[in-house]
Amino acid sequence: MEQPTYTAPLIIQRADPYIYKHIDGFYYFTASVPAYNLIEIRRARTIEGLAHAAPRTVWRKHESGPMSQLIWAPEIHFINDKWYIYFAAAETTAFDDNGMFQHRMFCIECANPDPMVSEEDWIERGQIETEIDSFSLDATTFELNDNLYYVWAQKDPDIKGNSNLYISEMENPWTLKTKPVMISKPEYDWETKIFWVNEGPAVIHRNGKLFLTYSASATDENYAMGMLSIDDTTDLLDASNWSKSATPVFQSDLKHHQYGPGHNSFTVAEDGQTDLMVYHCRNYTDIKGDPLYDPNRHTLVKAFTWNNDGTPNFGKPVPYNYE
């Protein structure tokens, strides 16, 4: 079967992209906007349609306080017949004593079946508290056996690096139920380029396993994706049950000028069968200043296949076919 292909990049200047295909047949898209000042959603019947769909702002940053700066990496989820968006925000752009941004994780909720009707339909559920009050971001959720799980990136002051990956079961979509369990920390050479980072987790469930991809290293051409896996019949909250790939599963392709692919999510193609990976990437390396403030991380979507052993094969980043 021929795999679908999409315009590349699909949506310009949208980093940390997340696409969710709902039971109503629509694709819903959200991502970090370059100004980091609001959360927007767009929807369309097709993946290509998202490129031209009008975005609807559903939440704006506060004038002051913990949700007033650097709104990063929103994800939209549909849980128990309500919509939820998880995102990270900070009170200041200044660094803390560890030289880190000061983000914490937050959640907003919409009970309206149509999440794009108005901003007033979205209510704030507040900060998602963890055991450590430290830099935290990039939350995602997934369900398994009627249990809701939360996976995120966070700094532990006692562990070298910027962020590790944690998992917890949830009491409800904005409250953790169990003690956070660290399932990965930066340790390999490709995870520790300039910055020691594990972030941007995404989960896909296939072939009796959960595959958890994540992004590592600095957000320039060193950015690359790793992967953890676990049998879906084992205890997800036992770190020893998770297996970690020693090598990247998706990384820069210098030949085709694709640099720093990462912060991915998963969805399914219009045929309802073909698995798609959504990610951001740049096509140049000459970045002026902090890469986080360079707006040209664009959203791309590519189909991927599965190896004979049941693991995903993401291939290489898609060369740009439209600029």
Side-chain angles (χ1 to χ4, degrees):
M1 184 174 64
E2 186 175 348
Q3 291 188 326
T5 58
Y6 302 99
T7 300
L10 182 72
I11 303 173
I12 63 168
Q13 295 191 343
R14 288 298 182 270
D16 315 320
Y18 192 88
I19 295 178
Y20 164 67
K21 189 176 185 181
H22 193 40
I23 55 174
D24 63 3
F26 279 103
Y27 288 96
Y28 290 80
F29 171 85
T30 189
S32 298
V33 301
Y36 299 138
N37 63 343
L38 54 80
I39 296 172
E40 65 178 26
I41 305 171
R42 60 178 78 183
R43 71 176 168 198
R45 290 287 184 185
T46 64
I47 295 288
E48 281 288 340
L50 291 172
H52 311 290
R56 169 63 63 90
T57 297
V58 297
W59 184 87
R60 302 170 192 271
K61 73 179 184 70
H62 293 188
E63 289 300 313
S64 61
M67 291 187 281
S68 63
Q69 298 290 337
L70 300 176
I71 310 305
W72 286 358
E75 288 195 7
I76 184 166
H77 295 258
F78 190 73
I79 305 167
N80 297 332
D81 296 323
K82 292 182 180 180
W83 296 93
Y84 294 90
I85 292 179
Y86 298 94
F87 63 98
E91 188 167 359
T92 174
T93 58
F95 295 146
D96 63 15
D97 293 340
N98 294 309
M100 304 277 296
F101 283 108
Q102 300 193 46
H103 286 73
R104 301 296 186 269
M105 300 176 295
F106 299 89
C107 175
I108 57 176
E109 174 191 280
C110 175
N112 193 317
D114 183 353
M116 300 183 66
V117 172
S118 72
E119 290 183 48
E120 288 70 30
D121 285 330
W122 287 87
I123 63 171
E124 295 175 359
R125 286 299 187 181
Q127 183 179 340
I128 296 182
E129 306 275 355
T130 69
E131 286 190 333
I132 306 173
D133 183 27
S134 65
F135 174 73
S136 51
L137 72 169
D138 292 355
T140 192
T141 64
F142 67 94
E143 294 181 67
L144 182 69
N145 299 327
D146 296 323
N147 294 323
L148 181 64
Y149 292 91
Y150 189 74
V151 182
W152 71 99
Q154 186 162 13
K155 165 69 176 177
D156 183 337
D158 294 330
I159 296 176
K160 181 176 180 178
N162 291 60
S163 58
N164 316 310
L165 296 179
Y166 297 86
I167 187 171
S168 175
E169 189 179 337
M170 303 195 85
E171 181 71 38
N172 57 46
W174 60 92
T175 309
L176 301 188
K177 179 180 179 180
T178 61
K179 179 182 175 68
V181 174
M182 186 179 73
I183 54 176
S184 181
K185 65 179 180 180
E187 53 192 314
Y188 296 116
D189 177 67
W190 57 273
E191 296 179 293
T192 57
K193 299 286 189 180
I194 304 179
F195 296 115
W196 293 49
V197 170
N198 280 183
E199 65 181 18
V203 176
I204 187 168
H205 185 197
R206 294 287 186 277
N207 306 323
K209 288 182 175 288
L210 291 168
F211 299 97
L212 189 157
T213 55
Y214 64 94
S215 297
S217 290
T219 57
D220 53 15
E221 67 269 23
N222 293 300
Y223 211 49
M225 280 171 45
M227 188 174 74
L228 305 170
S229 61
I230 190 171
D231 290 337
D232 62 9
T233 57
T234 59
D235 182 3
L236 305 188
L237 302 182
D238 182 345
S240 66
N241 288 333
W242 289 88
S243 175
K244 181 176 179 177
S245 172
T247 56
V249 294
F250 199 61
Q251 58 188 321
S252 292
D253 181 357
L254 278 58
K255 178 181 178 181
H256 293 106
H257 308 290
Q258 295 298 297
Y259 305 110
H263 202 123
N264 77 291
S265 59
F266 296 108
T267 190
V268 66
E270 290 84 351
D271 62 10
Q273 298 180 2
T274 305
D275 288 306
L276 303 177
M277 181 170 67
V278 186
Y279 64 97
H280 68 231
C281 202
R282 287 190 185 89
N283 67 341
Y284 58 87
T285 59
D286 185 19
I287 301 169
K288 308 299 184 185
D290 190 328
L292 285 169
Y293 294 103
D294 177 290
N296 294 315
R297 290 181 293 173
H298 305 318
T299 294
L300 295 104
V301 178
K302 76 180 298 287
F304 64 93
T305 58
W306 295 87
N307 299 313
N308 290 334
D309 64 358
T311 59
N313 185 336
F314 298 121
K316 294 184 177 181
V318 178
Y320 284 8
N321 56 37
Y322 170 80
E323 295 187 44

